[in-house]
Amino acid sequence: PEWYFLFAYAILRSIPNKLGGVIALVMSIAILFLMPLLHTNETQGLQFYPLNQILFWYMVIMILLLTWIGARPVEAPYIITGQILTILYFSYYIINPLIIKLWDNMLNS
């Protein structure tokens, strides 16, 4: 695969079930297109969300590591690393909105 889809390829390889891998692959790309539509913050930028600034760089590192894992052969240390990074990749999209809502509630109270 091309270098810009290696992170999605790593997610596909990290799930042993074929159908589950394809669903995770599609969701890893689709979630990037859905994020602007799901943006319901009171402010537009991350300058008022310091925890989310840290999470943003966490996400950049996860994508870079998944891209690196996607280029590695399917061998013992890379398989488990890809599985852990896949869980961390999808956990970002669960944790990030929760922290935004928490921070908004703290600022409004």
Side-chain angles (χ1 to χ4, degrees), residues 31-105:
I31 202 164
L32 297 175
F33 289 108
L34 293 175
M35 284 303 287
L37 301 174
L38 301 175
H39 183 70
T40 59
N41 301 358
E42 293 182 14
T43 59
Q44 292 296 319
L46 285 180
Q47 66 267 23
F48 300 113
Y49 299 104
L51 293 175
N52 293 86
Q53 290 175 356
I54 296 169
L55 278 178
F56 169 76
W57 290 110
Y58 160 84
M59 186 59 179
V60 169
I61 291 169
M62 287 304 113
I63 291 175
L64 290 174
L65 287 174
L66 277 169
T67 301
W68 176 71
I69 289 295
R72 301 291 109 209
V74 184
E75 293 176 354
Y78 303 122
I79 295 171
I80 189 70
T81 306
Q83 291 172 343
I84 292 169
L85 290 172
T86 298
I87 292 169
L88 293 175
Y89 176 83
F90 285 111
S91 68
Y92 169 81
Y93 296 107
I94 296 168
I95 293 170
N96 191 41
L98 295 175
I99 292 179
I100 288 175
K101 294 295 180 190
L102 175 71
W103 199 259
D104 284 340
N105 288 339

